[in-house]
Amino acid sequence: PAPRSRRVLLAAPRGYCAGVDRAVATVEKALERYGAPVYVRRQIVHNTHVVRVLGERGAVFVEETDEVAEGAVVVFSAHGVAPQVHDRAAERGLTAIDATCPLVTKVHREARRFAREGYDILLIGHAGHEEVIGTMGEAPGRIHLVDGPDDVRNVRVRDERRVVRLSQATLSVDETMETVARLEERFPALLSPPSDDICYATQNRQTAVKRIAAECGLVLVVGSRNSSNSARLVEVAVQAGADAARLVDGADEIDEDRLRDVTTVGLTSGASAPEVLVEEVLAWLAGHGFGDVEVVRAAEERQNFALPRELTRP
Ligand code: 0CJ
Ligand code: F3S
C-alpha cells in the first residue's frame, strides 16, 4: 500500500500559561525598571532557553538569597517560596519581587488556613520539587507529602477526622485522581480543597495531548527535563495511546531514527516552553517530510495575571 502522507498533529492549548507569561515579564520589567543586575532566586521557570535569554539580558540566577548583593533586587520564581525565604530577604534589605503564580499563592493561603484550623494537610506532589518545598514551608510539621498513589500507605496523621488534601499545580490529573481515591479509602473524612489545585493550564495541556496521542507514532513535548508539567505530558501521551513520547528542549534533540516508520507526529509543549521553540521544531519536521500540520484544539484559554505591584506603581 502507498504510505500515508506524513503529518503533524499540533496540540492546543500548549506552551506558556498565564503564570509563566507573568513570571517572565516580571524579570523583563524588573530589568527595565531597576537595570541589571536583577537577581532571580532559582530558575524563574523550568526552561533552559528562557533562563539563558534572561541571563544574557542581565538577570543573575542564584540558588539562595544569601548570594544576592546587599540591597539589590531579587525576583522569586513562579513556583513559589516558603515564608522563611521572604523573611531572610527582608533581613538582608533586598527588594523582593514575587513572581509566584497566583494559582500557587492560592494553595499557600489554603495551607495556612487549614493549618490554623488544626488540620493535618496531605499535599499530593513530587518530593524535592520547588513548588512542594515552598508550600510545605507554610505549615511546617502540619503538611505531609504524598508522592503518588503508592505513597498513601505511608501517611501518618494526628487525627484521622481532621485531614484535608491539597496538591501541587502541575500533576497528572489521572494519577492524582487515583491518589485521591486511595486517600479517601484510608481517610473517609478527608476534606477536599475548595477549588482544584491542579491548574487550568496543566489540565488543558493534558486534555489536548490526550486528543492526539492515539493517532501518533511519536509525540514530541517541547520542554526542559526539570519541568514537572512537561514531564507529565510525556507520561499522559503514552497512557493515552501514543506509541512513544519524548521530551525535547528544542529541534536539535529530536532523534531522526525514531521517525523512520512514523507517519503521524504529535507536538505539544509544556507551560514554560516558549512558542519559538515549537516553531523551530515545526520547521525541522517540515524539513523531514512532515510539512502537513493540523491543529487539534481542546480548550480556549483567557486567563491573564497582572504583574506584581512593585512593577506597576508609578
Ligand atoms: O509550578 C508552577 C507554578 C508551574 C510553572 C510553570 O512550569 P515550570 O516548567 O516552570 O514548572 P513545573 O516544574 O512546576 O512544571
Ligand atoms: Fe501557574 Fe499553572 Fe502556569 S500554576 S505558572 S498557571 S502551570
Side-chain angles (χ1 to χ4, degrees):
R4 269 189 45 227
S5 72
R6 304 180 115 189
R7 61 168 183 167
V8 179
L9 294 181
L10 181 59
R14 63 177 175 280
Y16 272 24
C17 59
V20 165
D21 206 41
R22 171 179 186 264
V24 173
T26 296
V27 178
E28 290 168 347
K29 288 272 182 245
L31 281 164
E32 272 172 35
R33 194 172 174 117
Y34 301 97
V38 163
Y39 290 84
V40 182
R41 182 187 178 278
R42 311 287 168 97
Q43 293 192 328
I44 184 69
V45 297
H46 292 149
N47 186 271
T48 309
H49 176 89
V50 170
V51 168
R52 179 167 28 83
V53 170
L54 290 174
E56 284 162 8
R57 295 197 203 157
V60 177
F61 291 88
V62 296
E63 280 302 295
E64 294 302 338
T65 53
D66 291 0
E67 299 160 52
V68 176
E70 203 78 32
V73 177
V74 63
V75 177
F76 297 144
S77 81
H79 317 94
V81 295
Q84 302 86 295
V85 175
H86 282 279
D87 297 347
R88 186 70 190 135
E91 276 165 31
R92 299 207 45 240
L94 309 180
T95 299
I97 303 177
D98 191 358
T100 302
C101 177
L103 300 180
V104 173
T105 302
K106 180 200 76 175
V107 180
H108 281 228
R109 229 176 2 246
E110 285 169 2
R112 285 198 298 273
R113 173 163 72 88
F114 286 116
R116 198 167 52 232
E117 293 176 3
Y119 282 85
D120 272 305
I121 299 163
L122 309 182
L123 179 69
I124 306 171
H126 295 298
H129 189 280
E130 210 81 77
E131 185 189 329
V132 160
I133 294 168
T135 304
M136 291 188 77
E138 290 287 358
R142 292 297 175 88
I143 305 192
H144 315 270
L145 182 66
V146 184
D147 193 343
D150 294 334
D151 199 22
V152 169
R153 69 170 79 93
N154 305 319
V155 177
R156 299 284 172 277
V157 298
R158 292 171 303 166
D159 178 356
E160 303 211 339
R161 291 162 306 176
R162 243 176 139 61
V163 281
V164 62
R165 65 171 170 90
L166 295 177
S167 94
Q168 192 179 334
T170 54
L171 302 178
S172 152
V173 172
D174 293 335
E175 189 188 85
T176 303
M177 277 170 52
E178 214 183 303
T179 309
V180 170
R182 293 221 204 153
L183 282 173
E184 284 173 341
E185 241 170 72
R186 260 203 73 184
F187 306 106
L190 182 71
L191 200 67
S192 299
S195 71
D196 221 323
D197 292 340
I198 300 181
C199 73
Y200 81 94
T202 298
Q203 296 186 25
N204 288 344
R205 279 150 194 69
Q206 288 174 19
T207 306
V209 83
K210 279 185 186 178
R211 287 266 298 274
I212 62 170
E215 291 181 64
C216 297
L218 175 67
V219 170
L220 295 172
V221 177
V222 179
S224 293
R225 306 244 76 89
N226 60 342
S227 168
S228 166
N229 77 86
S230 308
R232 299 297 82 78
L233 289 174
V234 172
E235 295 168 1
V236 169
V238 171
Q239 279 153 12
D243 293 333
R246 288 287 179 276
L247 189 61
V248 292
D249 249 310
D252 52 342
E253 288 186 2
I254 302 172
D255 180 359
E256 216 179 315
D257 291 343
R258 282 214 159 265
L259 285 171
R260 195 161 308 127
D261 301 318
V262 170
T263 52
T264 300
V265 175
L267 181 58
T268 185
S269 53
S272 48
E275 187 63 9
V276 46
L277 300 177
V278 172
E279 284 160 10
E280 190 189 297
V281 169
L282 282 171
W284 187 97
L285 287 168
H288 289 75
F290 295 86
D292 172 14
V293 179
E294 188 184 322
V295 176
V296 176
R297 176 168 294 279
E300 298 290 340
E301 292 183 341
R302 282 180 196 86
Q303 190 66 255
N304 199 349
F305 296 127
L307 284 172
R309 254 193 312 266
E310 293 83 349
L311 296 170
T312 52
R313 62 173 169 240

